[in-house]
Amino acid sequence: DWLGMFLCFILTGAALCMYCAAWWVVNGGSLQSMQNASRWTGDDVYEMSYGWFDGADSHTMRLEAGDTLQSRAYTYYGSLEVEVSDGDGNTLCEGSAPEGEQAIEIPRTGDYTILVWGRRANGGFSFLRVPAGDGTLPADTAPSAAIPCPEAGTAPEPQEPQ
């Protein structure tokens, strides 16, 4: 009977619309993954600061055995997760990005991918290559590459996507 098929079609469509609305609410309610963001990458640096970051971003660097990948992160609200893996897919570091600085020792020469997930986050991060046995930043790294941690109590106002 055609009336039953029509009602089934309408109910299926309504269920699909409700599913899409629930997904929208759970995943931030915005199609924009970044707002008020600046991103800078190079051979020795990967940094970003953002007013709103709800998605993923990545950068691949060529690192030598013995290098240190110096990371710095600050988050005013939301969460930030990081994964650092080599070209073979072996993970060196993964999980919630700790506030402040962290050093990751590089075991072998190769291309390393840094994947960062923001979940309704406001803040910034940087990853800097420190050559083996050096302990200082590369000479060709721009001074702006090191993201300074903001002073306590100076957090910008949270910015929701519009």
Side-chain angles (χ1 to χ4, degrees):
D1 129 301
W2 70 270
L3 183 58
M5 289 175 47
F6 178 73
L7 289 175
C8 184
F9 178 75
I10 294 296
L11 289 174
T12 302
L16 182 60
C17 288
M18 290 176 62
Y19 174 80
C20 290
W23 181 89
W24 181 269
V25 169
V26 168
N27 289 292
S30 174
L31 293 177
Q32 296 177 331
S33 63
M34 281 189 259
Q35 283 191 344
N36 299 327
S38 64
R39 180 181 189 271
W40 192 61
T41 61
D43 293 340
D44 296 325
V45 65
Y46 171 37
E47 87 172 38
M48 188 184 317
S49 62
Y50 40 84
W52 176 262
F53 180 32
D54 194 27
D57 194 70
S58 67
H59 179 62
T60 300
M61 287 185 194
R62 180 78 176 170
L63 302 172
E64 304 293 326
D67 285 353
T68 301
L69 189 60
Q70 186 72 36
S71 70
R72 177 180 287 196
Y74 61 93
T75 304
Y76 297 122
Y77 72 91
S79 63
L80 193 66
E81 292 186 22
V82 174
E83 178 181 304
V84 179
S85 57
D86 65 16
D88 295 330
N90 301 315
T91 302
L92 270 68
C93 171
E94 71 178 331
S96 295
E99 291 291 313
E101 294 187 17
Q102 178 180 347
I104 302 167
E105 298 297 322
I106 304 302
R108 61 186 177 139
T109 299
D111 292 331
Y112 288 80
T113 300
I114 305 163
L115 181 57
V116 181
W117 290 276
R119 183 82 168 146
R120 299 179 185 184
N122 175 292
F125 62 84
S126 68
F127 291 89
L128 303 171
R129 175 186 169 259
V130 178
D134 191 357
T136 60
L137 296 177
D140 63 344
T141 301
S144 67
I147 296 177
C149 288
E151 298 297 320
T154 61
E157 290 297 315
Q159 302 172 2
E160 292 287 333
Q162 313 231 342

